[in-house]
Structures are given as C-alpha cells and as structure tokens.
Amino acid sequence: MSTTTSRTPEPDGFAEGPVRAARLIQNESTTEIPVHLLFRDEPDQTPVPVETTVVARRYGTGEQPRTRAHGPARPVPGTDPGLTEHPARVLPGAAGVLAGAGGLAGGAVTAWWAGALPALAVRALGLPAQVGAGLGPAQWAAFAGAGALGLVGFGGLARGLTGRAWVLGLFGRYRGTVRRTGLMWVNPLLLRRRVDVRLRHWRGHPMPAADGDGVALRVVTLVVWRVRDTARATLGVEDHEAYLRECVEAALARVPVQPPGGARGGPDAAGEALTRLVAAETAPVGLEVFSVRPVRVEYAPEVAAVMHRRRLAELDARQRASVLGSVVDSVEDTVTRLTLRGLVDLDDYERKVLVKDLTVAFCSGRGETGP
C-alpha cells in the first residue's frame, strides 16, 4: 500500500525544502505542553492558576475551549509565613547590666536628695551632706524612674545555652527566636519559651504493626530527630514530641515490618520507608527526622504462641527436606560407584531393591546420629 504526500508550491527564488506529511485531521489544532510540567518529582510551591485551558480543540464542530476550574489549594500545616523562624532582636548583656546599675545609682541619688539615705551610706559613697528635701512628687517620680530602669535592665537579662533556643512572643504574636549563647538582654515584656534544638533520639514503647501477611506485631522503634524550625514546632502544634510519636505510630500502621526470622524485606527496607513517611509528616511542623529504625520486633501476645508453633513446624520441615536430599545424593553416589567399578551387575528390579535398602539404611543412620 503506497501513500502520497502533498507538496506545497514554493515561491520563486526559494529552493524546495523537505516535504512534511499532511495532517490527517485538517480541522484540529494542538498546543505543545512543556515536558517539565508532565514529569515533576516534587510538587510546585507556586500558586496554582484558577483555570487551565484544554490543550486541543476542533474547529468547525461547535466545540469551545474547555476549562477546568481548580479550587483553592489545601493549606499545609505550618506554612504560614508568620510561623517561620527568624532571629529576634536582642542586645548584649552588658546593656542590661549598665541599665540596672544606672537604676540602682539613680535610686541612691534620689534617696540622698530626699534625705532618706543613711549617714553611714553617705560617708561610704563620698557624697556631700544630705539636702533633706523630703519625699515630694519630684522625689517619688525619680524613685519610680530609677526603679523602672533597674527592673528593665536586670529583668531582661537572659542566659543563652548551647543547644537551646528561646522562642519569644508578645501578646500571642511570634516575635522571633534567639539562638545566641552567653549573657544577653531581652525585652522583659516578651514571653519566653525554652526549646531544645539539639540532636535527640527517642526510643518508643511497643507499638502495633503488621507484616506483609497481616500478622499482628509489636515494634519498638528508635527515632533520631531534632527541631529545625522552633516557631513551627512551638506554635504550629500543641506538643511536637507527642505529634512525633503519633506520626511514628501512623507510619507503622502503613509499612509492613519484617517479623522475627522472616526472609522477606528486611529491617533496612522497613527503616527507610518509615523514615521517609515520618520525615514527610513532621516537616511542616519544623521537625527534622534523620532515621526511624525498628530495634525490636516481636509477635503480638494473641498470636505469639501460634506463630511459635508455625515457626517450629517450618524449621522441622526444612530439616527433613535437607536430610532427605543428602540421603538421596548418598544413595545415588553409592549405586553409581558400584556399577562403574563392575562390583555388581544389576537389572532394574535388583537396582530398585538396592536403592530401597540403602535409603532405609542411610535414613536409619541419620536418625540415630543426627544430621
């Protein structure tokens, strides 16, 4: 069957180029789709357009370009920009110490001014004789200012420790995180929450799980994790440690774990799958999970006895198959050697009898002495 291709006449002065085959459907037009939109490893974080036009339409059929409406994207927990960790504004500790010392000095001077400072203290400080103006409105105002300065200076002093962070808030609003170490001054009006940002490990209690056949198991896991975003971990959930435990338990319900003595899969494969699931679940709340490894796997109490008997039966059957295979190999080797060396000349019936007698003898010997 031959096919013909149409040629388009070329204008004068142009050489005839390669001929393209005519389209089978003349009234259809298509639009190219970027390949990177079809094969993406990770979901795009850019806002999804409200409408997307269909790639093709046919002219002359009355069909209009179809549009597909997309609803608003489902919000992911912890993605609010206000809950993203950023450094808080703090001052060196020396500023707080100077402010507190200034408040104390101001209080002493005000007391001297009001004549309330003891004479012994006046002589110790080397001050001139007291004025003795009394406690009037000006003196009370000076006392209030000096006291406020001392409270603000000494009350804002904080000590930053290695591996610990302060999450600061004011009237329910997140104001920043302090990861500095040493003495610093923080606004005393801010609410402080201490967060441990060191690498931590958590050994869980026995949690329910199942193997590939659905047999109930009890699994103890070891989780290595740390707080990556203190704002999300503190304000995004009520208790990030409890949230981590719930995520591990939920992952165990979805991932089959190798039972004791099982040959399918393995602890490494189950650990990798658990790590991926738990890391994906806890990332929106500012937690970074490095590994989730099963450290102890045992059958659930309700099926432990049954599975123990089943395991013993499998071991016994495997041992019998191994013994029978070695006996058959020994009998075959013995009969072959006797025949090749010409020690016996056996017909089919005699060969069968000899094989039977050797098999019984070998099996009896294996049963007495063991494999």
Side-chain angles (χ1 to χ4, degrees):
M1 181 176 179
S2 62
T3 59
T4 60
T5 57
S6 61
R7 295 177 178 270
T8 304
E10 299 291 333
D12 295 340
F14 292 91
E16 184 177 0
V19 179
R20 296 193 306 174
R23 288 181 294 182
L24 298 179
I25 303 177
Q26 297 293 338
N27 59 350
E28 181 179 1
S29 64
T30 60
T31 304
E32 296 182 356
I33 303 176
V35 178
H36 71 277
L37 296 180
L38 299 177
F39 304 95
R40 292 184 293 181
D41 295 335
E42 298 180 355
D44 193 4
Q45 298 298 331
T46 57
V48 180
V50 177
E51 294 183 349
T52 303
T53 306
V54 173
V55 252
R57 66 174 179 176
R58 298 182 180 181
Y59 297 99
T61 61
E63 181 180 357
Q64 299 297 325
R66 298 188 299 270
T67 57
R68 180 179 301 172
H70 294 273
R74 181 181 300 177
V76 179
T79 56
D80 185 3
L83 289 181
T84 302
E85 178 181 331
H86 60 270
R89 297 178 180 178
V90 296
L91 297 177
V97 173
L98 291 177
L104 292 179
V109 171
T110 304
W112 169 80
W113 178 27
L117 194 65
L120 181 62
V122 173
R123 290 193 298 268
L125 295 176
L127 297 176
Q130 301 186 42
V131 177
L135 293 175
Q139 287 77 13
W140 284 115
F143 271 125
L149 182 61
L151 290 177
V152 170
F154 289 123
L157 292 178
R159 184 182 61 171
L161 302 177
T162 303
R164 307 292 177 89
W166 289 104
V167 176
L168 307 181
L170 180 62
F171 304 122
R173 184 179 179 183
Y174 173 65
R175 304 299 297 177
T177 299
V178 180
R179 289 180 177 260
R180 296 175 54 178
T181 58
L183 188 63
M184 69 191 75
W185 183 87
V186 183
N187 187 351
L189 298 179
L190 297 177
L191 177 63
R192 310 173 192 177
R193 297 185 182 181
R194 178 82 75 176
V195 181
D196 192 344
V197 295
R198 296 173 296 180
L199 186 67
R200 304 168 63 183
H201 71 278
W202 168 67
R203 183 185 179 96
H205 59 276
M207 297 181 180
D211 62 359
D213 298 328
V215 180
L217 302 173
R218 291 292 183 269
V219 181
V220 177
T221 57
L222 180 65
V223 184
V224 180
W225 63 285
R226 70 180 178 93
V227 175
R228 179 175 52 86
D229 193 310
T230 56
R232 296 182 181 182
T234 306
L235 306 176
V237 290
E238 182 177 0
D239 186 352
H240 59 272
E241 295 186 7
Y243 182 81
L244 176 63
R245 291 193 294 268
E246 296 295 337
C247 290
V248 172
E249 188 171 359
L252 283 174
R254 299 166 57 187
V255 176
V257 183
Q258 180 188 17
R264 291 177 298 179
D268 293 338
E272 293 176 359
L274 289 172
T275 302
R276 287 194 301 269
L277 286 177
V278 177
E281 292 288 340
T282 56
V285 297
L287 302 184
E288 186 175 6
V289 177
F290 296 95
S291 68
V292 182
R293 299 295 178 184
V295 295
R296 190 178 69 189
V297 182
E298 58 187 13
Y299 289 108
E302 59 270 18
V303 299
V306 177
M307 297 307 298
H308 181 66
R309 291 194 297 268
R310 178 181 175 182
R311 180 63 180 165
L312 291 179
E314 291 178 355
L315 292 176
D316 184 65
R318 190 181 306 171
Q319 183 67 19
R320 289 177 181 273
S322 176
V323 171
L324 182 60
S326 61
V327 167
V328 171
D329 293 340
S330 300
V331 171
E332 182 182 5
D333 184 64
T334 302
V335 174
T336 301
R337 289 187 178 185
L338 291 176
T339 304
L340 292 178
R341 294 183 182 182
L343 299 178
V344 293
D345 187 9
L346 305 174
D347 55 11
D348 293 341
Y349 177 75
E350 293 175 343
R351 181 184 296 274
K352 292 179 181 179
V353 173
L354 179 59
V355 169
K356 178 182 178 180
D357 294 341
L358 290 175
T359 302
V360 172
F362 286 153
C363 287
S364 300
R366 295 288 179 126
E368 293 176 359
T369 60

